[in-house]
Amino acid sequence: WPVGAMVEVLRGGAAETHAWQLLLPALARAVQAQGGPVALVGAPYEPFMPALAAGGLGPEALLWVRSEAPAARLWACEQALRCADVAAVLAWLPRARVGELRRLQLAAAQHESLLFVLRPDTVAQSASPARLRLRVELEAGEGGAATLAVHILKRRGPPLAAPVTVPARSERMVALLAASQLRRKARQNQMGGPQRSSSPATVVRIAQPALSLVEAGHALDRIALVA
């Protein structure tokens, strides 16, 4: 990942929550190297702390800035990039314009910061000042072993025709989902086919926190664990 430059990650649909898996190792290394937090600006989902901590990013290493106003998000990004104590900035800027992105690119270059900007894949054909530009697509797999197809839209050097494939979930998450599917199939076989269980002990629900700015769902596949 380039330091002192903007990395733009375009994603859509189910790839939204899986983009964390792609960026988490770099964020964890940045925190370990610099000791400061990662600034999350405008994250659409509540960060799921156990999964982030398992990837090396503990709750003490996160600074979550919640705002729906595009201008406020841009201002928060610039301030975070100028702060020497911030290890990296991860921002959701779906409506940012080219001039505003260029301003963030300059701020990242001036302060040698690690900057990731997440935007919808509908802007893939628009201009961007990002040094590295990726489009992430989720591809289904067997037993919960989904993969991310990472298309390199822009980089320094020759173009890359084929996408890079990386796991969409950690090995531990894949094992948990596969075990859950096996248990479900075993229960169905014992009952003679798919049936809805009447036992409340087999149903798991996680209530939404009372935060008006948090949408349904959580980062890092929390929904998949209770599906």
Side-chain angles (χ1 to χ4, degrees):
W1 302 109
V3 176
M6 183 174 68
V7 178
E8 191 176 8
V9 182
L10 310 182
R11 73 283 174 274
E16 167 67 59
T17 55
H18 294 275
W20 274 97
Q21 186 64 25
L22 177 66
L23 306 179
L24 185 55
L27 298 175
R29 284 197 298 268
V31 170
Q32 292 173 0
Q34 300 186 28
V38 172
L40 307 181
V41 181
Y45 299 104
E46 177 189 358
F48 186 41
M49 291 297 101
L52 292 177
L57 194 63
E60 71 283 352
L62 285 181
L63 177 63
W64 186 12
V65 180
R66 291 179 292 163
S67 176
E68 290 298 319
R73 291 189 183 188
L74 289 167
W75 180 86
C77 284
E78 288 191 74
Q79 299 307 310
L81 290 171
R82 292 171 180 169
C83 181
D85 291 333
V86 173
V89 177
L90 181 58
W92 284 257
L93 304 174
R95 290 175 284 179
R97 293 171 292 188
V98 176
E100 295 167 337
L101 294 176
R102 188 174 292 111
R103 216 166 63 216
L104 295 181
Q105 162 71 20
L106 291 174
Q110 290 173 358
H111 302 279
E112 290 294 317
S113 302
L114 185 61
L115 170 63
F116 296 100
V117 173
L118 286 84
R119 305 180 70 203
D121 55 7
T122 54
V123 302
Q125 300 302 319
S126 62
S128 172
R131 181 185 299 178
L132 178 62
R133 203 177 196 207
L134 314 173
R135 187 177 77 249
V136 180
E137 296 178 348
L138 181 66
E139 297 180 348
E142 294 294 331
T147 58
L148 287 176
V150 183
H151 300 266
I152 312 296
L153 304 182
K154 179 183 177 182
R155 68 168 182 171
R156 286 188 173 179
L160 188 66
V164 177
T165 302
V166 297
R169 301 183 177 101
S170 65
E171 294 182 1
R172 187 176 181 182
M173 179 72 73
V174 172
L176 288 172
L177 294 175
S180 177
Q181 290 180 1
L182 289 175
R183 288 195 299 268
R184 189 180 302 112
K185 289 180 180 179
R187 287 197 301 267
Q188 291 175 357
N189 292 335
Q190 291 175 357
M191 297 176 181
Q195 296 183 13
R196 183 180 295 275
S197 174
S198 60
S199 172
T202 61
V203 179
V204 179
R205 290 185 174 88
I206 300 178
Q208 279 285 22
L211 296 173
S212 60
L213 298 180
V214 180
E215 299 177 3
H218 299 77
L220 283 187
D221 260 350
R222 190 170 182 174
I223 295 176
L225 289 177
V226 297

